[in-house]
Amino acid sequence: MEYVILVLGFTIGFYMAWNIGANDVANSMASAVGAKAITLRQAIFIAGILNIVGAAFIGSHVTDTIRKGIVSPDVLNDPHVALVGALSALLAAALWVSFATWKSLPVSTTHSIVGAMVGFGIVTGGFSVINWAGLGAVVASWVISPVFSMVIAFVMFKIIVRIILSRPDPVGTAFRLSPLFIGMAVFVVIMSFVFKTPLGKNLALSTPVAFSTALVCSVLLGFLGKRLLLWFRNVRTGEEGAEGVFRRIQIGTSCYVALAQGANDVANAIGPLALIYFLVTTGEAGQTVPVPYVLLVFGGLGIAAGIAMGGARVIRTVGERITTLSNTRGFSVDFAAATTVLLASKMGLPVSTTHAAVGGVLGVGLARGLEAVNFGVIFRIMLYWVLTVPMAAFTSMVLFKILSMIL
């Protein structure tokens, strides 16, 4: 029977990874596609490759069995209950993300698996096993991430308009100031890589060392980037030419988000699967379990398959249906999302990259006035954010009861 559960775990784990790819790819590629920096086909190809690389080479090799400390470890004392619970949580989270993707709406895959684990915890141990303070922090992130990102994107785009787009020679100014913007993006990317990815955490660089390294690299790569931009200089003039400068910078920031997405989000599918694999092969449960390399690759392939087969729906919602994006706005969105996740993480605040990306798009839309934003789409997105935890929890409770009678 345990090996039947293991096969089920691999199947549902791949389905969850597929859904992560189909829904979360909008975080990294929606602004680039919406701003016409790359085509949808190019975005899917780039995101697919980088997600596999991120998941396989930078993804965590150890994962929490109780996601985010929301549920007491006591509920895992019985290995069979833990097996059925992990299966229920994985399938419940996957079904919710799948439903949201079908509705073309971006949701947090992390919050989906958190909600599913809450449902499993309640049905097995009651409400007392839930860390309500931790769950409250998740609820707070529905406001923190989008508001942080919205403000940063709004300010960044206004700065670009003020010092570049409104000048008599926008193209020349964009080239002159390109080391500043490339350097700022590189700085945030390096700091995010060091503090946000599992590989970066394993390097364990102190804050001063990480800060100094990022600063030196941002200066060097900023001027190197300017040389490359001049090498591939386009012939367009005016505001259109300035947008072309930011088009190339934006492709770089989008690629980083795709790489980090694979590294961080693979655990949402592989964490519960690793627990099932560990329980079947050892018969024991722990608060953390090792993740075999093959599982990371397996999860990365599942994410890439989801991007290729279902990524277009949510990309179009975030990149095209909230507001009209240009390359300068797309750069502002990527910069705001990455900065929000980095700053909030360093402050110990729970954030979602999905929420930050949507907040950034809202910020650059508001920079053009209220009439530039489709608030109907924003309302539907936020409604699904609020529904994610309770819906995943309820589905997980129902599935646990059903699977307990079968397995």
Side-chain angles (χ1 to χ4, degrees):
M1 179 58 75
E2 282 78 6
Y3 285 95
V4 172
I5 295 176
L6 186 60
V7 171
L8 277 174
F10 269 94
T11 305
I12 300 172
F14 190 85
Y15 177 52
M16 180 61 183
W18 188 95
N19 280 290
I20 291 171
N23 198 291
D24 270 5
V25 69
N27 297 337
S28 57
M29 290 295 159
S31 61
V33 173
K36 307 290 190 292
I38 52 177
T39 65
L40 182 59
R41 183 171 295 183
Q42 288 171 332
I44 287 171
F45 180 77
I46 294 170
I49 297 292
L50 290 177
N51 267 271
I52 291 176
V53 172
F57 296 103
I58 314 177
S60 178
H61 290 261
V62 177
T63 185
D64 298 333
T65 56
I66 307 297
R67 290 289 309 166
K68 309 297 182 189
I70 298 292
V71 179
S72 168
D74 294 340
V75 300
L76 284 184
N77 286 339
D78 183 334
H80 184 73
V81 170
L83 269 176
V84 178
L87 267 182
S88 307
L90 201 52
L91 183 55
L95 288 173
W96 172 249
V97 178
S98 195
F99 179 72
T101 305
W102 175 61
K103 301 295 284 184
S104 303
L105 295 172
V107 294
S108 168
T109 54
T110 303
H111 291 181
S112 300
I113 199 72
V114 165
M117 288 304 293
V118 167
F120 161 57
I122 291 174
V123 79
T124 54
F127 288 92
S128 61
V129 302
I130 305 301
N131 177 359
W132 292 104
L135 196 56
V138 169
V139 173
S141 76
W142 295 338
V143 177
I144 294 170
S145 330
V147 171
F148 261 42
S149 187
M150 180 183 70
V151 171
I152 294 171
F154 181 93
V155 172
M156 174 57 76
F157 181 63
K158 285 291 188 184
I159 290 173
I160 292 173
V161 171
R162 182 74 177 269
I163 67 175
I164 295 179
L165 298 183
S166 62
R167 293 300 173 102
D169 179 18
V171 179
T173 310
F175 276 113
R176 278 197 301 278
L177 296 179
S178 60
L180 173 65
F181 289 98
I182 296 172
M184 289 168 62
V186 168
F187 184 83
V188 172
V189 163
I190 292 177
M191 293 293 280
S192 299
F193 182 85
V194 171
F195 292 118
K196 278 295 292 174
T197 66
L199 180 61
K201 288 174 182 172
N202 288 338
L203 292 174
L205 296 180
S206 65
T207 300
V209 172
F211 188 88
S212 304
T213 304
L215 193 61
V216 170
C217 290
S218 63
V219 172
L220 293 176
L221 292 177
F223 284 100
L224 177 63
K226 180 183 178 182
R227 295 293 298 268
L228 292 174
L229 287 172
L230 289 169
W231 183 272
F232 293 105
R233 184 170 190 165
N234 60 50
V235 296
R236 294 174 179 170
T237 58
E239 187 173 315
E240 192 178 356
E243 292 288 349
V245 174
F246 278 90
R247 172 177 174 269
R248 292 178 171 83
I249 302 175
Q250 189 196 357
I251 293 172
T253 54
S254 295
C255 288
Y256 161 72
V257 180
L259 189 70
Q261 178 181 301
N264 292 314
D265 288 355
V266 70
N268 291 335
I270 298 308
L273 175 57
L275 171 60
I276 295 167
Y277 181 82
F278 192 75
L279 282 165
V280 170
T281 53
T282 68
E284 298 175 353
Q287 292 192 33
T288 60
V289 295
V291 181
Y293 182 75
V294 66
L295 289 189
L296 291 170
V297 177
F298 180 76
L301 290 172
I303 291 174
I307 292 170
M309 297 166 70
R313 298 176 73 91
V314 183
I315 282 181
R316 288 201 176 100
T317 297
V318 179
E320 299 174 359
R321 292 174 184 156
I322 296 176
T323 191
T324 303
L325 291 177
S326 61
N327 297 120
T328 48
R329 295 187 192 106
F331 169 78
S332 302
V333 171
D334 287 344
F335 181 80
T339 305
T340 296
V341 173
L342 173 63
L343 288 178
S345 299
K346 288 300 291 176
M347 294 166 67
L349 301 172
V351 292
S352 157
T353 307
T354 302
H355 299 180
V358 172
V361 175
L362 179 59
V364 296
L366 290 175
R368 293 193 303 139
L370 293 174
E371 66 281 0
V373 178
N374 186 338
F375 284 101
V377 173
I378 290 291
F379 175 77
R380 289 179 62 214
I381 290 173
M382 290 184 174
L383 177 64
Y384 272 65
W385 290 355
V386 174
L387 288 175
T388 292
V389 170
M391 288 302 294
F394 177 74
T395 310
S396 178
M397 293 166 77
V398 173
L399 288 172
F400 182 82
K401 288 292 186 185
I402 295 172
L403 291 175
S404 295
M405 291 186 284
I406 301 172
L407 300 175

